[in-house]
Amino acid sequence: MSVTLGAVLSAGALTAPAHAATLAVPTITAKGGFVMNNGTGKALYSKAADTRRSTGSTTKIMTARVVLAQPNLNLDAKVTIQKAYSDYIVSKGASSARLIVGDKVTVRQLLYGLMLPSGCDAAYALADKFGTGSTRAARVKSFIGKMNSTAKTLGLKNTHFDSFDGIGNGANYSTPRDLTKLASSAMKYSTFRTVVKTKSTKQKVTTKSGGYRYMSWTNTNTLLKSYSGTIGVKTGSGSVSKYCLVFAATRNGKTVIGTVLASSSATSRATDATKLMNYGFKK
């Protein structure tokens, strides 16, 4: 009997590592990463998850979140595109939704222009529209203030914004954990969910002369095509931030959501995210 019991115990000891091996913790090139179960908030993976880093255009998740939280928000309200927005794009060499001065674009369309091609012109237009003040500079400052107060409300202790689009002045930072929590909060808005899972869109906008034109935007998030179940969220890149990606996917009723910051290339951030989601679904 003792031999049999010993054999059973030995077998148990042998099978345990085999099971653990199927859930080997993935190695990613990104300097920081975090994944959680979106339903429970439970952390599933962590790598330098609370280290502050530049966030690039993943900042625009907060831009959209602030807009969507506005009281009595009218998504069909029209915003006239100003020369200042296009001048800004040119001066910064920034990513653009190719908005045309004088066109009247709805708030909903600006959200698509913000999140799909990562338009910094769309971000500027939204900050100008939803900030308060008598000058554009005052409105933008006020909008960034709303971004920071929202971060505080959401308990994002390692997050600060000094820009509406991620082209910061040295004080635009967050962490993988904070960005994941932010994205989870933004995903509670149905408009946000609809926008960030859209692969491409064609939007009819009103021109200065009263006619119309179509704007075509394609999502920079390649996971929407390459990873089954992907439902968002946002790419980011820059000389300081390197390659970032906030991602989310749903499979068999389970949603995992996470972030990689400072990956080495656009390909690597997608590979990193894929590894982390695969791992998250098995946990």
Side-chain angles (χ1 to χ4, degrees), residues 211-230:
Y212 64 89
R213 79 172 93 247
Y214 285 99
M215 304 299 288
S216 294
W217 295 311
T218 301
N219 204 317
T220 55
N221 182 6
T222 59
L223 291 177
L224 289 164
K225 291 179 179 174
S226 67
Y227 193 86
S228 172
T230 297

Side-chain angles (χ1 to χ4, degrees), residues 9-106:
L9 290 172
S10 299
L14 288 170
T15 54
H19 174 68
T22 61
L23 271 182
V25 179
T27 303
I28 59 172
T29 64
K31 290 182 179 172
F34 182 77
V35 179
M36 72 178 190
N37 180 320
N38 195 49
T40 64
K42 183 188 175 187
L44 305 173
Y45 171 92
S46 186
K47 176 185 176 180
D50 299 307
T51 301
R52 296 174 177 182
R53 298 187 190 280
S54 174
T55 55
S57 285
T58 60
T59 297
K60 290 168 180 150
I61 297 169
M62 180 61 94
T63 309
R65 172 69 174 69
V66 168
V67 169
L68 290 167
Q70 296 303 301
N72 307 312
L73 176 66
N74 177 8
L75 288 166
D76 297 315
K78 291 188 175 178
V79 176
T80 303
I81 303 307
Q82 307 293 321
K83 187 172 181 291
Y85 312 156
S86 56
D87 287 350
Y88 173 80
I89 292 293
V90 173
S91 69
K92 299 288 187 182
S95 53
S96 167
R98 303 183 308 282
L99 300 174
I100 294 166
V101 177
D103 279 5
K104 290 180 173 60
V105 183
T106 68

Side-chain angles (χ1 to χ4, degrees), residues 231-251:
I231 55 172
V233 174
K234 184 76 189 74
T235 60
S237 61
S239 55
V240 179
S241 63
K242 303 306 178 193
Y243 294 86
C244 311
L245 182 57
V246 181
F247 51 87
T250 301
R251 288 183 177 179

Side-chain angles (χ1 to χ4, degrees), residues 45-231:
Y45 171 92
S46 186
K47 176 185 176 180
D50 299 307
T51 301
R52 296 174 177 182
R53 298 187 190 280
S54 174
T55 55
S57 285
T58 60
T59 297
K60 290 168 180 150
I61 297 169
M62 180 61 94
T63 309
R65 172 69 174 69
V66 168
V67 169
L68 290 167
Q70 296 303 301
N72 307 312
L73 176 66
N74 177 8
L75 288 166
D76 297 315
K78 291 188 175 178
V79 176
T80 303
I81 303 307
Q82 307 293 321
K83 187 172 181 291
Y85 312 156
S86 56
D87 287 350
Y88 173 80
I89 292 293
V90 173
S91 69
K92 299 288 187 182
S95 53
S96 167
R98 303 183 308 282
L99 300 174
I100 294 166
V101 177
D103 279 5
K104 290 180 173 60
V105 183
T106 68
V107 172
R108 190 192 313 273
Q109 289 169 336
L110 286 173
L111 288 169
Y112 278 100
L114 173 79
M115 300 303 284
L116 271 65
S118 199
C120 296
D121 44 358
Y124 197 164
L126 289 166
D128 194 7
K129 164 78 174 169
F130 292 102
T132 54
S134 56
T135 65
R136 185 172 291 120
R139 289 190 292 275
V140 166
K141 186 178 179 182
S142 144
F143 186 86
I144 295 167
K146 290 182 185 183
M147 293 170 73
N148 285 315
S149 61
T150 302
K152 198 167 282 186
T153 301
L154 293 174
L156 310 182
K157 295 185 176 70
N158 290 304
T159 297
H160 185 267
F161 300 103
D162 68 356
S163 74
F164 47 74
D165 58 1
I167 302 177
N169 300 300
N172 209 89
Y173 57 79
S174 189
T175 68
R177 189 189 307 270
D178 277 7
L179 274 175
T180 302
K181 286 183 178 177
L182 168 59
S184 181
S185 168
M187 291 292 264
K188 290 183 169 70
Y189 293 88
S190 60
T191 299
F192 186 88
R193 292 197 304 273
T194 299
V195 169
V196 298
K197 74 177 180 186
T198 301
K199 292 174 189 165
S200 62
T201 186
K202 197 174 187 180
Q203 299 283 334
K204 186 178 182 179
V205 304
T206 307
T207 63
K208 192 176 184 178
S209 62
Y212 64 89
R213 79 172 93 247
Y214 285 99
M215 304 299 288
S216 294
W217 295 311
T218 301
N219 204 317
T220 55
N221 182 6
T222 59
L223 291 177
L224 289 164
K225 291 179 179 174
S226 67
Y227 193 86
S228 172
T230 297
I231 55 172

